[in-house]
Amino acid sequence: FTTPPPTVQTMIPQNQVTARNALMFVSFDQEINPEAVLASIAVTSAGKRIPVRLATEEEIAADGTISYYAKQAQPKRWLAFRALNSDRLPDNALPADSAISVNIQKGTPSAEGPITTAKDQSYTFRTFGAMKFVRGWCNYDPKVTCSPADAWYMQFSNPIDAASFSKEMVKIEPPIEGLNIYPSGNYVYFQGLKKGRTTYKVTIAGGLKDNFGQTLSEPSSATFKIGNAPTQLYSQGGTMVVLDPNSKPAYSFFS
């Protein structure tokens, strides 16, 4: 019988927008030698290979995300690394506003046995560019008119700085009372009941800030067209309701 070669379990950052000095993290299902595995990793952008080195303990401890995953992984089964530029300074080692590919190549060794991996294992992420508005929508199918209960979404190119966000940055025409408006990741969410058969325009001020200290260059707007509320007939209670025999024999339905 044959025991398996090392298989990647966790890859960070994956499908995210990051700073140009981001640490990269990969964990495996068995023990590895970090230096040997690093030699099998190719970090590229636009077809050009980017040199990398192992991250120091201080760098790992300073990165909340990477330090969290390092503590969750089993000892000797992970490595954290970062890119270098020509001056060996890490702050801007990754190219700006670019797709980054991390490929753990075929032939990656294990520290538990002689069999190396038989295929590439890879993931991608992107470094940040200017803070831009991407799109707004209220239904994952753009051909379907949204209902009054559907959530609205406004997507931006970079993660939003939630600490600096306030509802005063948002203007809705015509106004709606009681909406829950909050940022999460690259999105601003709008949850709550809207008026049917109404078209709304939502504008977010140019002061919206991302996690990299940038702001929108100008206000961004999205239009949401709301159709009819779905037909509903409902009542209180379960599948069977026993009326009080001493009260009026009536039961209410609502539409």
Side-chain angles (χ1 to χ4, degrees):
F1 63 90
T2 303
T3 55
T7 299
V8 173
Q9 292 188 313
T10 305
M11 299 176 283
I12 302 294
Q14 185 173 185
N15 301 324
Q16 298 177 23
V17 178
T18 74
R20 295 176 62 188
N21 62 350
L23 296 188
M24 291 160 273
F25 174 91
V26 179
S27 68
F28 295 85
D29 63 350
Q30 55 192 273
E31 291 186 11
I32 57 149
N33 181 314
E35 290 82 5
V37 170
L38 186 68
S40 299
I41 294 177
V43 179
T44 59
S45 178
K48 297 181 180 180
R49 188 156 180 168
I50 300 170
V52 293
R53 66 162 171 81
L54 292 176
T56 65
E57 292 184 4
E58 293 77 12
E59 290 169 338
I60 294 171
D63 189 308
T65 299
I66 299 302
S67 61
Y68 170 81
Y69 281 99
K71 292 174 183 176
Q72 301 304 309
Q74 294 192 40
K76 301 181 181 180
R77 292 190 176 191
W78 60 273
L79 76 160
F81 51 101
R82 73 184 316 163
L84 293 171
N85 62 17
S86 58
D87 296 324
R88 302 191 66 80
L89 299 173
D91 288 347
N92 293 310
L94 294 171
D97 196 14
S98 301
I100 309 297
S101 175
V102 181
N103 187 25
I104 300 93
Q105 300 176 102
K106 173 184 176 181
T108 297
S110 167
E112 295 188 13
I115 302 177
T116 59
T117 57
K119 61 181 181 180
D120 291 354
Q121 301 171 85
S122 61
Y123 68 98
T124 61
F125 63 94
R126 189 173 187 87
T127 54
F128 76 91
M131 179 61 161
K132 298 178 182 178
F133 173 61
V134 178
R135 62 174 180 145
W137 75 98
C138 56
N139 193 303
Y140 287 103
D141 185 350
K143 297 180 181 179
V144 177
T145 302
C146 300
S147 78
D150 286 339
W152 297 347
Y153 310 88
M154 290 184 69
Q155 180 183 359
F156 295 86
S157 58
N158 296 334
I160 298 166
D161 179 15
S164 65
F165 178 83
S166 69
K167 292 183 179 180
E168 286 68 30
M169 294 178 173
V170 180
K171 181 181 179 181
I172 303 176
E173 301 173 293
I176 309 174
E177 297 294 333
L179 275 190
N180 183 20
I181 305 172
Y182 63 94
S184 180
N186 291 43
Y187 300 88
V188 176
Y189 294 84
F190 303 80
Q191 295 180 335
L193 196 64
K194 299 90 177 174
K195 188 177 180 180
R197 296 188 294 275
T198 305
T199 298
Y200 292 94
K201 181 180 180 181
V202 180
T203 302
I204 295 183
L208 183 67
K209 185 182 292 185
D210 66 16
N211 284 345
F212 311 109
Q214 303 177 122
T215 57
L216 284 174
S217 59
E218 58 184 9
S220 299
S221 298
T223 300
F224 301 96
K225 186 176 181 180
I226 311 302
N228 294 329
T231 302
Q232 289 182 319
L233 187 68
Y234 59 96
S235 63
Q236 294 181 334
T239 55
M240 179 177 178
V241 176
V242 178
L243 300 179
D244 185 346
N246 296 316
S247 65
K248 182 179 178 180
Y251 185 58
S252 297
F253 290 83
F254 305 89
S255 68

